[in-house]
Amino acid sequence: MCLAIPAQIIAIDKDTDMATVTVDQVTVEVSLALVDDIALGDYVLVHVGYALNKIDEDEALKTLALFAEAGLSQAQ
């Protein structure tokens, strides 16, 4: 099963169209090739190294809370 995970943008490299995102204190680099109008602090859905789309912060936090409740993250 493949999941897209909400992650928060913490850095953007406009020269490479890449961003650093964080989820549950883990940071990864993702491509921004599929999304427009992204800013620091935005939440995006991430799947296989790509930000798929921008999502509402409330929705991202609710989804992350469900992941934690299901034991799929370190957050409590």
Side-chain angles (χ1 to χ4, degrees):
M1 178 170 68
C2 298
L3 293 173
I5 298 173
Q8 188 175 32
I9 303 283
I10 60 171
I12 296 174
D13 184 340
K14 292 184 184 216
D15 293 335
T16 61
D17 208 19
M18 297 289 289
T20 303
V21 298
T22 184
V23 176
D24 201 18
Q25 301 178 357
V26 174
T27 60
V28 295
E29 301 292 316
V30 299
S31 172
L32 297 176
L34 303 176
V35 292
D36 291 322
D37 196 28
I38 297 296
L40 291 178
D42 284 346
Y43 281 84
V44 291
L45 281 178
V46 174
H47 181 65
V48 293
Y50 286 87
L52 300 177
N53 60 303
K54 185 172 157 180
I55 62 171
D56 173 271
E57 181 177 358
D58 289 339
E59 189 65 30
L61 295 176
K62 287 178 187 174
T63 301
L64 292 170
L66 288 172
F67 282 10
E69 186 177 314
L72 300 174
S73 73
Q74 296 176 9
Q76 296 294 321

